[in-house]
Amino acid sequence: MLVRRFCVSLSRSEINPICNPSKLFNFRTNPQKIRIFSCQNPAKLALQAANIITHKSYSSNSQMGDARRPLSVPIPDIEKADRSELLRALETSLGSSFSSAPLVPNPNPLIIVISGPSGVGKDAVIKRLREVRENIHFVVTATSRPMRPGEVDGRDYFFVSKDEFLGMVEKGELLEHALVYGDYKGIPKQQIREFMAKGSDIVLRVDIQGAATLRRILGNSAVFIFVVAESEYAMVNRLIGRKTETREMLLVRIATAREEVKHANNFDYVVVNADGQLESAVKLVESVIDAEKARVSPRNVRI
Ligand SMILES: Nc1ncnc2c1ncn2[C@@H]1O[C@H](COP(=O)(O)OP(=O)(O)OP(=O)(O)O)[C@@H](O)[C@H]1O
């Protein structure tokens, strides 16, 4: 019964390498042998198939008169032969040895732009991502805003004066810059070039305005991720809880955030950072990065 099923599928299958070895090995097949397969006796057919794969289909040098054709070698029984013997026979039959070189090139380093309204947890997501992910560089933004308690110059931001900042702009040292709530923020190009050359992925953390500018500059060569809280209430609560804003600034930030939530469409991915669910948000960002690395047509960024 089993033999019958095997044979029926053999005779029906166009791509079955036994019925048509040319599909697999690109050989010129002997039409005579293919015709033999269409015989009606299933047991005989199975035997012939087995016979051909071990000996006959590769044995006739007289029919393969050119140098590209594989040599005539029997393929040992897969159950009995040792692996290296089998590999050698397959290599000889195919006419070339199996390479250990990667079948596809290593993926290009990515630029990942992380943005979202104020207070949704961009910094919290990035801080955790920094702990769990290797080979990724978090660009330190230059800013003219004063340092907050607990922040470190060169780690959280490069804190510079307004004049120093404008000097950087003039020398073309910034990929993008903007005036945000009265303070300048900008992305130093040199850092990106340096770390991409080492093969690191780059994370840029910008506000919505900055993300829109980067989209114009980088187009689809970078990955844009929009981080949001699960609700406006949660977002406001987090801003209040952070205790970094004056009452006036709180109002401005919340009003701006309301507008900014509408910009999700300009991004490639949305990540919801729900209350108490920071780990899930970070995992999702990691999945996005992994998926981007597996793209068939990679993004190709030049700074
Ligand atoms: N998933 C979460 N659950 C609870 N609290 C969170 C979560 N994510 C972030 N927070 C807290 O919310 C506050 C705001 O987060 P964070 O400073 O990271 O926001 P942000 O988007 O970087 O804000 P801004 O754009 O104003 O700098 C912080 O006190 C942070 O610890």
Side-chain angles (χ1 to χ4, degrees):
M1 186 61 160
L2 265 179
V3 171
R4 181 189 297 273
R5 268 205 212 123
F6 169 63
C7 293
V8 169
S9 72
L10 275 183
S11 58
R12 282 189 188 151
S13 168
E14 246 222 67
I15 56 158
N16 191 300
I18 298 175
C19 278
N20 189 355
S22 65
K23 297 274 184 198
L24 187 61
F25 299 118
N26 204 19
F27 295 164
R28 215 174 296 148
T29 27
N30 181 347
Q32 197 86 42
K33 283 177 180 151
I34 295 300
R35 234 176 288 128
I36 292 169
F37 275 179
S38 64
C39 75
Q40 296 306 305
N41 182 336
K44 201 171 161 192
L45 180 53
L47 269 175
Q48 281 170 338
N51 198 22
I52 281 173
I53 202 143
T54 52
H55 296 289
K56 291 194 176 156
S57 61
Y58 316 118
S59 65
S60 174
N61 274 338
S62 62
Q63 287 169 13
M64 301 182 178
D66 84 58
R68 286 168 304 164
R69 295 241 173 85
L71 291 175
S72 151
V73 286
I75 307 292
D77 185 336
I78 196 158
E79 300 293 338
K80 292 178 190 151
D82 72 35
R83 189 178 295 245
S84 59
E85 188 189 348
L86 196 52
L87 278 167
R88 265 198 313 278
L90 288 167
E91 286 179 333
T92 314
S93 291
L94 291 164
S96 61
S97 51
F98 300 129
S99 163
S100 304
L103 287 170
V104 288
N106 285 334
N108 295 337
L110 292 170
I111 292 190
I112 303 132
V113 178
I114 296 188
S115 187
S118 193
V120 294
K122 298 180 291 294
D123 279 342
V125 167
I126 287 173
K127 186 166 175 276
R128 185 70 188 125
L129 194 61
R130 192 194 284 267
E131 289 162 3
V132 296
R133 186 120 189 153
E134 287 179 352
N135 209 20
I136 193 161
H137 176 72
F138 299 82
V139 170
V140 182
T141 308
T143 181
S144 65
R145 85 153 162 73
M147 217 186 288
R148 287 177 189 154
E151 286 182 330
V152 176
D153 186 29
R155 185 195 70 186
D156 300 300
Y157 289 93
F158 286 115
F159 294 97
V160 295
S161 69
K162 276 195 177 154
D163 284 348
E164 283 171 313
F165 191 96
L166 293 173
M168 293 168 88
V169 175
E170 224 164 79
K171 287 185 233 153
E173 290 174 6
L174 301 176
L175 174 64
E176 172 277 334
H177 71 277
L179 191 61
V180 185
Y181 303 117
D183 295 308
Y184 287 107
K185 284 187 178 175
I187 300 166
K189 285 183 194 167
Q190 187 48 34
Q191 246 184 88
I192 301 180
R193 291 189 184 128
E194 196 184 306
F195 281 89
M196 282 186 84
K198 291 183 200 163
S200 298
D201 295 321
I202 303 292
V203 169
L204 301 175
R205 182 242 193 261
V206 288
D207 60 9
I208 302 284
Q209 188 190 338
T213 311
L214 284 176
R215 185 59 111 180
R216 279 196 295 280
I217 296 168
L218 301 173
N220 284 328
S221 68
V223 186
F224 288 74
I225 300 178
F226 189 75
V227 182
V228 277
E230 70 276 38
S231 67
E232 189 175 71
Y233 179 81
M235 183 174 72
V236 174
N237 240 340
R238 274 178 221 169
L239 260 183
I240 293 171
R242 196 171 65 179
K243 295 190 166 70
T244 53
E245 316 299 319
T246 60
R247 275 177 296 186
E248 295 72 25
M249 278 312 287
L250 255 185
L251 270 179
V252 175
R253 284 195 184 248
I254 294 165
T256 313
R258 275 195 167 160
E259 282 307 303
E260 288 176 338
V261 170
K262 298 171 188 162
H263 288 77
N265 285 349
N266 301 332
F267 288 74
D268 301 309
Y269 300 93
V270 173
V271 169
V272 176
N273 176 30
D275 230 29
Q277 302 294 318
L278 183 65
E279 283 306 313
S280 312
V282 173
K283 278 217 172 75
L284 187 51
V285 172
E286 282 210 274
S287 305
V288 166
I289 298 174
D290 291 338
E292 284 287 331
K293 295 264 171 202
R295 275 172 72 102
V296 173
S297 6
R299 301 180 193 258
N300 203 354
V301 71
R302 296 263 173 277
I303 298 294

